[in-house]
Amino acid sequence: MSKVKQANQKRRSKSRRSHAPEQIAPPLDTAVAKPPIDERMGAAMRRAGPERGLTLSDVGSAAGISVPMISRVENGQSTASLALLERICAALGTDLSTLFREVEQPTGEAQLIKADDQMVVVRSGTKHGHTYRLLSYHKGPRKAFEPFLINMDKESESYPRFQHPGTEFIYMLSGRMQYRFGDRTFLVEPGDAFTFSGSVLHGPEKLLDDQIQFITIIIYAE
């Protein structure tokens, strides 16, 4: 083989390697929700008054503060000093430490994965022609749940059986199938919701339409 041919082959080989698809983690749009401290403080005070049978006028009179000022603090429209908060707490029959404990709350996380960014993953049914699109991603050693969008077709001649911890939920989007759970089979049709224990052997038994699609969520026990 000439040196020119060898060089061309090397370039083509390098080009194929450089264009090989890489599995890249999809971009996640996440947010942590926690209202501002003024709003949380005001909400705690707004709950405390009615719980004790006190009106704004009662609290304002006992604390020596005008009703409009109390209202602005309760609605998070005005920031109260510690001295002012202490007077309001005394009027409510509580103290600052109790109020702050009510204000503190755990944060919550939200995650949005756009349709084009949802990752197709390999599962035990992949070799049978099933496709699994993972709808949520969780970092760390333990997962609370795993949601999948699953597509199947009649070209698959056999279906896998599954057994895992936790509870599984299936919502049928299109097509019909017979689904085995232990020694029973269930007809699952579009719009049906099917919930069962993951520890019992389960899996599709028979597809009644050429194409089926469903969402399944595996919820793991704590």
Side-chain angles (χ1 to χ4, degrees), residues 49-210:
E51 286 173 359
R52 294 163 172 78
L54 300 173
T55 64
L56 281 179
S57 181
D58 295 331
V59 176
S61 178
I65 304 168
S66 69
V67 169
M69 182 60 184
I70 293 284
S71 179
R72 286 197 297 273
V73 172
E74 286 192 353
N75 288 291
Q77 298 170 348
S78 181
T79 302
S81 65
L82 286 175
L84 188 62
L85 287 175
E86 191 172 41
R87 287 161 59 188
I88 294 174
C89 286
L92 291 168
T94 186
D95 53 39
L96 279 173
S97 62
T98 302
L99 182 65
F100 281 120
R101 280 197 300 272
E102 291 183 20
V103 165
E104 278 307 309
Q105 62 180 18
T107 59
E109 184 175 308
Q111 181 188 91
L112 172 65
I113 305 175
K114 303 296 288 183
D116 291 342
D117 298 326
Q118 293 163 10
M119 185 185 296
V120 176
V121 297
V122 175
R123 302 281 288 186
S124 57
T126 302
K127 61 183 178 182
H128 299 277
H130 311 167
T131 61
Y132 298 79
R133 189 177 291 273
L134 189 57
L135 303 179
S136 180
Y137 307 93
H138 301 274
K139 296 180 179 179
R142 298 185 63 183
K143 296 179 176 66
F145 71 102
E146 285 186 299
F148 298 95
L149 175 65
I150 299 178
N151 289 279
M152 299 171 59
D153 57 49
K154 272 190 173 180
E155 292 182 5
S156 177
E157 296 180 355
S158 61
Y159 307 106
R161 291 289 180 260
F162 306 94
Q163 203 166 9
H164 54 77
T167 301
E168 185 162 347
F169 169 80
I170 287 176
Y171 182 77
M172 203 69 181
L173 297 173
S174 62
R176 300 165 300 147
M177 67 174 171
Q178 293 281 355
Y179 200 90
R180 177 164 293 281
F181 175 74
D183 58 359
R184 290 193 58 190
T185 59
F186 295 83
L187 172 62
V188 189
E189 301 177 291
D192 289 354
F194 185 32
T195 306
F196 51 88
S197 172
S199 61
V200 177
L201 201 65
H202 59 274
E205 179 79 5
K206 182 180 180 182
L207 270 59
L208 304 179
D209 292 294
D210 291 337

Side-chain angles (χ1 to χ4, degrees), residues 7-29:
N8 288 337
Q9 283 184 351
K10 285 182 180 179
R11 279 196 296 270
R12 284 195 295 269
S13 177
K14 184 177 179 181
S15 176
R16 283 195 296 269
R17 288 198 300 270
S18 64
H19 289 86
E22 297 180 5
Q23 190 170 5
I24 301 173
L28 302 181
D29 185 2

